[in-house]
Amino acid sequence: MKPLARFAPMRQRGPIRVIPPLPVLEPMRTVDDMREKDDQRFKYWVSQVGEDRALIAKALFDERTGSTTLPELLTENYLRSHGARYVCQLSLGFARPDFTVFNSPAAPEGALIIRVAGDHWHGSSDAVARDSAQKDLLMQGTAQGSPVLAVIDVWESAIYQGDGVLDLAYFSGIEQPRAG
């Protein structure tokens, strides 16, 4: 038997494929890099909502509750301060709304879904259409066995201005339209 005869079936499959180059990986962040990133995030938050509200958001961020953006953190703080029973990012199969609130004043016998809408990401016409279709599906569903009675979008810029938009959503089930 020839020395390479047993490898013949593999050679008949064609030429050897070229292996693409490996992607360049970012170097690992050091503790100092992470602190610098946290400091920059906090400075941005202070510029948006002031130091008091930024400190509240930072404390909640450090708890790692599931909320990661400033408007989500402010909304979660609002819900906590009102003693709401809620779940962050509850998986409903086709969607993971930011907050599913149970037995709120606006939906006493069911679930109120609060979606925090970032002005940039949810402001395009494609996003508006997608969000509207999702809202229709959410209104037909249930969350942990409770019927969804209201789906409210609260806009990032309105949350930054104060808790008024969250009062309307939580107590009345009223959605404030996006400004501008």
Side-chain angles (χ1 to χ4, degrees), residues 136-175:
D136 292 342
L137 287 173
L138 287 169
M139 285 298 298
Q140 298 171 26
T142 61
Q144 294 184 345
S146 297
V148 174
L149 300 180
V151 178
I152 306 294
D153 292 333
V154 291
W155 288 92
E156 171 185 17
S157 54
I159 294 169
Y160 290 169
Q161 293 173 5
D163 289 342
V165 68
L166 297 171
D167 286 335
L168 283 174
Y170 181 71
F171 288 108
S172 305
I174 296 172
E175 182 174 300

Side-chain angles (χ1 to χ4, degrees), residues 20-36:
L22 295 173
V24 177
L25 298 176
E26 286 184 36
M28 288 181 55
R29 289 190 202 128
T30 64
V31 172
D32 290 337
D33 293 337
M34 294 174 71
R35 282 190 189 124
E36 176 64 27

Side-chain angles (χ1 to χ4, degrees), residues 75-106:
T75 302
E76 185 167 2
N77 179 65
Y78 176 88
L79 293 171
R80 280 186 173 189
S81 69
H82 285 82
R85 189 171 72 86
Y86 66 93
V87 177
C88 294
Q89 305 286 324
L90 177 66
S91 177
L92 300 176
F94 63 93
R96 295 179 71 86
D98 296 306
F99 300 97
T100 305
V101 185
F102 299 96
N103 302 320
S104 73

